[in-house]
C-alpha cells in the first residue's frame, strides 16, 4: 500500500472513531417534565392528553419509546423519519411528530389533527438529555 493511501486510511479511521467523542454522533434523546396545558385546551381532558403524551419519551433513529416512568415503557413505535432529533410515528392510531431543539434542550411533540380545522395539540418536554 502506498504511503499516501495509508495516511488517508488512518485519517478516515481516526475521524470515524473520534466522532462520538467529539459529540457529533448521538443515539437519541430522552425527555421528561412535560407541559400539557396547550394539549388539554385542544383536546378538552387531561386523561385524553395523557393517553397520547406519556410522562417520559425517548426518541432514537429507529424507535420512539413512550413510558410512565424512567423504566416502565408502555409503548414502542417506529420512528419513520430515522433521525435522532426528528421523529414521525403513529401512536394510538394518531400521527405524531417529535422535534428536538438542541439549543433550548426541549422536545416538541405534536399530534396531527384528525379533521381539517381541528386544534393541533402540542406538548413540550423540558427536561431532556442526549443519549450517547
Amino acid at each position: 500500500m502506498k504511503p499516501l493511501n495509508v495516511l488517508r486510511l488512518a485519517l478516515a479511521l481516526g475521524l470515524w472513531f473520534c466522532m462520538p467523542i467529539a459529540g457529533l454522533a448521538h443515539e437519541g434523546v430522552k425527555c421528561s417534565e412535560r407541559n400539557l396545558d396547550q394539549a388539554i385546551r385542544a383536546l378538552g381532558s387531561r386523561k385524553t392528553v395523557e393517553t397520547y403524551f406519556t410522562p417520559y419519551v425517548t426518541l432514537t433513529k429507529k424507535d420512539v419509546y413512550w413510558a410512565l416512568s424512567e423504566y416502565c415503557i408502555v409503548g414502542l413505535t417506529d420512528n419513520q423519519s430515522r433521525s435522532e432529533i426528528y421523529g414521525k410515528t403513529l401512536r394510538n392510531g394518531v400521527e405524531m411528530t417529535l422535534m428536538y431543539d438542541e439549543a433550548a434542550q426541549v422536545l416538541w411533540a405534536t399530534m396531527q389533527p384528525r379533521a381539517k380545522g381541528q386544534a393541533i395539540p402540542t406538548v413540550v418536554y423540558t427536561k431532556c438529555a442526549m443519549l450517547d
Side-chain angles (χ1 to χ4, degrees), residues 15 17-26:
L15 289 175
F17 282 113
C18 291
M19 276 179 56
I21 296 167
L24 298 174
H26 295 287

Side-chain angles (χ1 to χ4, degrees), residues 73-129:
I73 297 170
V74 294
L76 172 66
T77 56
D78 182 49
N79 181 359
Q80 299 165 1
S81 72
R82 297 294 183 234
S83 168
E84 71 275 2
I85 59 169
Y86 177 79
K88 196 169 194 172
T89 190
L90 217 56
R91 169 126 173 94
N92 295 339
V94 175
E95 188 176 310
M96 305 279 279
T97 303
L98 298 100
M99 189 176 306
Y100 179 64
D101 181 347
E102 193 167 0
Q105 293 185 333
V106 297
L107 179 79
W108 298 87
T110 304
M111 177 188 294
Q112 299 306 312
R114 292 183 184 200
K116 189 175 181 179
Q118 184 180 11
I120 301 173
T122 299
V123 169
V124 180
Y125 290 84
T126 56
K127 187 177 178 183
C128 296

